[in-house]
Amino acid sequence: MQYQAVVRKIGPAQDVVEIERTALPTLRRDQVRVRLLARSINPSDIITISGAYAGRTTLPFIPGFEAFGVVEACGEEVHGLSPGTRVLPVRSAGGWQEFKDTDPSWCLRVPEALSDFEAATSYVNPMTAWLMLHEKIGLRPGMRIAVNAAASSIGSILIGLANAGGVEPVAIVRSEQSLQRLHGRLEAVIIDRANGDLAAGLAGRHGLDAVLDCVGGARAGLLADALRPGGHFVHYGLLSGQSIPNSFWASHPDMTFSFFHLREWVHSEAMGDVQHAYCDVAAQIASKIIATEVREVFPLENIRQALQSALPFRTGGKVLLA
């Protein structure tokens, strides 16, 4: 038997996620069973539970895109993995349970240098940050970039990686409280409390090479205004809950615009390439260039309390299920 967090109807996560006890199925010959030890609660989990990706979500389902564990057992046709191997099973949800049966080729090997909690937070935000900086905008020393939600978990990672690459970002936050959580070397800090704050803060800071935006909404236009001609605008989140307005693209015809979603990248790449990128990220975590604050840890069976603590995601630090 095992505990599972199950969603049987779409809605607010703290209302619709239920804990159930269920028997373990027979392990398929071509799969591995991973005993999960630590799991993150991420915005992507909550967005999926709310129904934002209803077209690719079949009810009921077990949430959780980021979970770390060890191989518990291998099917008879599995080669290259053995019990005890530390892994992150990716490419699908299902992390909010005690055991996950999965395709062995979808298991990223986790180095011994990472602690269990570091491993449980080593995938969604660090991989997204690394790929946006190195694959999307081609980070190089001396670039000028802006990062909003800069005091968030992924904002902190972006700043750390940018500093390691010889770049000091413009950090955009929403409050004095967020300002106090900033770390790293920064070109400037803008506190975006009201409509005029962001425009005033960016005045005189035009000529940015890139903007990394996870907020969306009308402020995206103000950020794009600060780009140099041909500058890169990468949109990877919607914390405001508001889409970028249609006028945004017509008003900025000379920018380079792209979306980034880790799930789409992982599903489009060979797993060998995904593992290679993950090894680069894991090395940054082991060397403390990337660090994720863990704010609270709850047992899986206390999922409701964990969700109440995690939401909204403005408080800082990750909430884990372990």
Side-chain angles (χ1 to χ4, degrees), residues 27-254:
L27 181 63
R28 281 176 30 182
R29 297 169 61 89
D30 60 346
Q31 290 191 327
V32 294
R33 174 162 294 160
V34 179
R35 177 164 52 90
L36 298 171
L37 301 176
R39 313 146 188 87
S40 288
I41 298 177
N42 289 305
S44 55
D45 302 313
I46 307 306
I47 291 169
T48 301
I49 294 166
S50 73
Y53 305 126
R56 65 182 190 223
T57 304
T58 302
L59 294 171
F61 73 97
I62 300 166
F65 290 110
E66 185 173 38
F68 160 75
V70 296
V71 175
E72 180 83 359
C74 300
E76 297 174 10
E77 298 175 7
V78 172
H79 304 283
L81 276 180
S82 59
T85 305
R86 308 174 85 229
V87 296
L88 283 165
V90 300
R91 273 192 169 175
S92 66
W96 295 0
Q97 57 184 326
E98 290 185 274
F99 295 91
K100 181 178 181 180
D101 293 355
T102 189
D103 185 330
S105 67
W106 294 359
C107 290
L108 298 177
R109 275 67 163 179
V110 177
E112 295 292 334
L114 302 192
S115 70
D116 289 2
F117 287 179
E118 285 176 327
T121 56
S122 65
Y123 177 62
V124 172
N125 283 343
M127 286 279 283
T128 297
W130 176 266
L131 291 165
M132 287 194 302
L133 290 174
H134 293 279
E135 298 291 329
K136 283 290 184 182
I137 71 170
L139 186 74
R140 61 188 184 277
M143 285 183 76
R144 298 185 62 236
I145 69 174
V147 175
N148 58 12
S152 66
S153 293
I154 191 166
S156 298
I157 292 168
L158 284 165
I159 292 169
L161 288 174
N163 287 171
V167 172
E168 298 181 1
V170 175
I172 301 166
V173 296
R174 294 299 298 273
S175 68
E176 294 285 349
Q177 181 183 11
S178 296
L179 179 64
Q180 295 171 11
R181 296 200 307 270
L182 286 175
H183 300 284
R185 302 187 308 278
L186 300 167
E187 176 183 324
V189 178
I190 299 171
I191 303 178
D192 180 20
R193 301 184 193 88
N195 287 339
D197 290 342
L198 183 58
L202 289 170
R205 299 199 176 279
H206 289 59
L208 296 175
D209 295 296
V211 166
L212 301 172
D213 168 52
C214 65
V215 176
R219 282 172 166 79
L222 298 174
L223 288 168
D225 288 344
L227 286 170
R228 64 169 174 77
H232 204 142
F233 192 105
V234 183
H235 178 58
Y236 70 100
L238 208 61
L239 290 179
S240 68
Q242 299 175 349
S243 299
I244 295 176
N246 291 333
S247 59
F248 171 83
W249 286 271
S251 302
H252 304 92
D254 58 350

